[in-house]
């Protein structure tokens, strides 16, 4: 699974950037620096990959990947906070 992820990380970021820019225009996501977001995302994935995080924590690669995506897209603050 890491080989597929590695190929995606190297080849598909322009498509991701285009999709994110479109989502910003449609007000689906906040107006953020998409290049910075991608760098943060890549940094997180690379760190997890290099540290063998999944195997050390007895998690499937897909589960780790999904958790990173959830944290970066949804954040870590409970939505009910302050309501």
């Amino acid at each position: 699974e890491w080989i597929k992820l590695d190929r995606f990380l190297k080849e598909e970021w322009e498509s991701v950037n285009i999709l994110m820019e479109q989502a910003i225009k449609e007000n689906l996501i906040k107006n953020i620096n998409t290049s910075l977001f991608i760098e943060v995302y890549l940094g997180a994935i690379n760190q997890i990959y290099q540290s063998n995080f999944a195997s050390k924590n007895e998690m499937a690669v897909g589960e780790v990947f999904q958790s990173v995506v959830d944290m970066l897209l949804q954040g870590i603050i409970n939505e009910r906070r302050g309501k």
Side-chain angles (χ1 to χ4, degrees):
E1 290 184 50
W2 283 116
I3 293 170
K4 291 178 188 176
L5 178 60
D6 189 53
R7 187 174 345 122
F8 174 80
L9 293 176
K10 291 178 181 172
E11 298 173 0
E12 300 298 325
W13 283 111
E14 185 57 31
S15 298
V16 171
N17 196 40
I18 291 168
L19 288 171
M20 289 183 72
E21 292 293 339
Q22 183 65 34
I24 290 169
K25 288 177 185 173
E26 295 177 14
N27 204 31
L28 297 172
I29 63 174
K30 292 179 180 179
N31 186 4
I32 62 167
N33 181 318
T34 56
S35 296
L36 177 59
F37 177 86
I38 290 169
E39 286 299 313
V40 168
Y41 182 82
L42 286 172
I45 294 297
N46 284 329
Q47 180 60 35
I48 289 168
Y49 174 72
Q50 291 174 357
S51 70
N52 296 315
F53 180 87
S55 62
K56 289 179 184 175
N57 291 280
E58 299 179 5
M59 296 174 72
V61 172
E63 185 181 2
V64 172
F65 183 70
Q66 185 62 50
S67 293
V68 170
V69 170
D70 287 346
M71 281 188 268
L72 288 174
L73 295 181
Q74 303 296 324
I76 62 170
I77 296 175
N78 188 341
E79 289 183 31
R80 293 186 207 161
R81 184 183 69 91
K83 289 186 178 180

